[in-house]
């Protein structure tokens, strides 16, 4: 049975990844400090005999509980606030988890001769001038702004991965994740799909920031999870950075209209100020993922939104 560590296991992606790996018969040791994650996710995972939870800050000097674990095969390092609402609320912690926390997990990977997947982000491209974004695009990030803690924290996290791979031969794969969604997002997460779907279902105003002409490309969670698991398995991904996302791009205003239509909502669409440094466009080039992983997304935006809306709706009616 494979012994796998997942950091950030109480969060949106960590929980879903743990469930999938447990269903495949793996033994999961989940780590989280419960800063943005949900205890209810841990309660559900705890029902599984092959799941162990350790409440721990991955940046901590005292990683004693992890040093006790023997024969770790794989580490998925997901811990980090991901919603702009939270990383701007915890800017120093966001830098630390992606730098010190990443270094700690790389050390553990090295000690156990294990493999690691690090979840980086499309935010490393900043407000991109190249469209769609390929992995060799070096980005356009502002160091002097509210998103810098996340964008630069992730960029430095990638540097740690590069150093451990090139200097010590550690088996490391970096996934640059583009906007991923499902009903697993907290209602109060602040990211656009959870905001719009919740607002539309409750009949509240749908809050478009700016004029809504900025674009994003949304990937359904199942597709993202499948991709990062393929990265872990695939030796050709060792030492590689790979974009993971759905190239189907939509403007934020059209997303609001689509969600209003799919929920049959009478909500008004209102326009609020655009946050500083909000990227104008974002769409992944996924040629590398297709070539190395034979992966591409299967769930269309409309299908993914229908699934998301159904789950949120049933949670409100319960
Ligand atoms: P999330 O906020 O739902 O989950 C992150 C988890 O990490 C939370 O459970 C939180 O409590 C935990 N955590 C934070 N700091 C920690 C620390 N110091 N020690 C231990 N645990 C800590 O976010 P998510 O959407 O699940 O994102 C997971 C990863 O994927 C993040 O690294 C994020 O940057 C990356 N990512 C996500 C997306 C997306 O669209 N969801 C896009 C790009 C990148
Ligand atoms: N956004 C919006 N209304 C909201 C939340 C977000 O218009 O209630 C916009 C936000 O300004 C950005 C896009 O939706 O242009 C995606 O935001 P999100 O926070 O989900 O992720 P980002 O890609 O910015 O990290």
């Amino acid at each position: 049975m494979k012994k796998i560590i997942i950091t950030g296991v109480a969060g949106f992606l960590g929980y879903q990844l743990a469930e999938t790996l447990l269903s495949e018969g793996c033994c999961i040791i989940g780590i989280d400090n419960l800063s943005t994650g949900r205890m209810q996710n841990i309660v559900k995972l705890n029902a599984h005999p092959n799941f162990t939870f350790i409440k721990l800050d991955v940046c901590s000097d005292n990683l004693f509980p992890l040093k006790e674990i023997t024969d770790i095969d794989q580490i998925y390092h997901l811990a980090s606030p991901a919603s702009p609402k939270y990383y701007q609320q915890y800017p120093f912690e966001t830098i630390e988890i992606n730098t010190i926390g990443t270094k700690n997990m790389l050390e553990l990977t090295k000690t156990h001769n294990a493999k690691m997947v690090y979840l980086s982000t499309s935010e490393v491209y900043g407000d991109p001038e190249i469209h769609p974004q390929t992995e060799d695009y070096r980005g356009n990030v502002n160091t002097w702004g509210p998103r810098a803690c996340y964008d630069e924290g992730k960029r430095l996290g990638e540097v740690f991965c590069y150093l451990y791979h090139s200097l010590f031969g550690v088996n490391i794969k970096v996934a640059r994740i583009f906007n991923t969604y499902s009903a697993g997002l907290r209602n109060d997460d602040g990211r656009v799909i959870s905001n719009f779907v919740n607002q539309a279902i409750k009949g509240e105003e749908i809050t478009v920031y700016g004029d809504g002409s900025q674009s994003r490309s949304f990937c359904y969670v199942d597709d993202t999870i499948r991709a990062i698991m393929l990265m872990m398995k695939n030796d050709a991904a060792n030492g590689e950075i790979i974009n993971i996302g759905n190239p189907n791009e939509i403007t934020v205003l059209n997303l609001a209209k689509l969600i209003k239509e799919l929920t049959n909502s009478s909500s008004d669409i209102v326009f609020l100020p655009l946050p500083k440094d909000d990227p104008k466009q974002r769409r992944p080039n996924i040629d590398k993922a297709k070539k190395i992983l034979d992966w591409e997304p299967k769930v269309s935006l409309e299908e993914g939104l229908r699934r998301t809306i159904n789950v949120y709706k049933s949670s409100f009616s319960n």
Side-chain angles (χ1 to χ4, degrees), residues 13 15 34 48 129 147 154 164 169 171 186 192 200 214 229 232 238 250 261 281 297 304 318:
L13 289 179
Y15 166 74
L34 298 176
H48 204 288
E129 297 142 313
R147 299 177 85 98
K154 287 288 183 188
Y164 270 73
N171 190 320
R186 289 165 56 142
V192 67
Q214 71 274 30
M229 286 170 58
M232 183 63 93
N238 184 9
I250 186 170
E261 184 191 315
Q281 53 182 0
N318 284 334

Side-chain angles (χ1 to χ4, degrees), residues 11-13 32-33 35-37 57-58 78 150 154 177 180 191:
F12 164 55
L13 289 179
D32 207 292
N33 67 354
S35 53
T36 62
D57 184 336
V58 178
L78 275 62
Y150 185 66
K154 287 288 183 188
I177 310 289
T180 295
R191 279 178 268 188

Side-chain angles (χ1 to χ4, degrees), residues 123-245:
E123 284 287 320
V124 299
Y125 301 121
D127 192 5
E129 297 142 313
I130 301 288
H131 197 69
Q133 292 79 55
T134 45
E135 289 86 351
D136 57 5
Y137 174 51
R138 294 183 186 178
N140 176 35
V141 176
N142 182 9
T143 59
W144 205 258
R147 299 177 85 98
C149 58
Y150 185 66
D151 301 9
E152 295 294 355
K154 287 288 183 188
R155 288 172 69 97
L156 202 45
E158 291 192 2
V159 177
F160 276 107
C161 293
Y162 167 75
L163 291 174
Y164 270 73
H165 179 72
S166 60
L167 297 179
F168 310 126
V170 170
N171 190 320
I172 170 78
K173 301 108 193 268
V174 175
R176 284 189 183 150
I177 310 289
F178 286 64
N179 300 60
T180 295
Y181 70 101
S182 82
L185 286 164
R186 289 165 56 142
N187 290 355
D188 60 352
D189 181 88
R191 279 178 268 188
V192 67
I193 290 193
S194 60
N195 272 9
F196 284 3
V197 173
N198 279 293
Q199 290 162 342
I201 292 173
K202 291 184 194 158
E204 295 171 354
E205 290 175 338
I206 300 177
T207 55
V208 168
Y209 301 159
D211 62 6
S213 61
Q214 71 274 30
S215 69
R216 294 293 186 272
S217 304
F218 295 96
C219 193
Y220 192 66
V221 70
D222 293 6
D223 284 323
T224 301
I225 296 297
R226 189 165 46 84
I228 61 178
M229 286 170 58
L230 282 171
M231 279 185 81
M232 183 63 93
K233 280 181 199 150
N234 197 316
D235 284 339
N238 184 9
E240 297 290 340
I241 292 177
I242 303 180
N243 284 342
I244 302 298

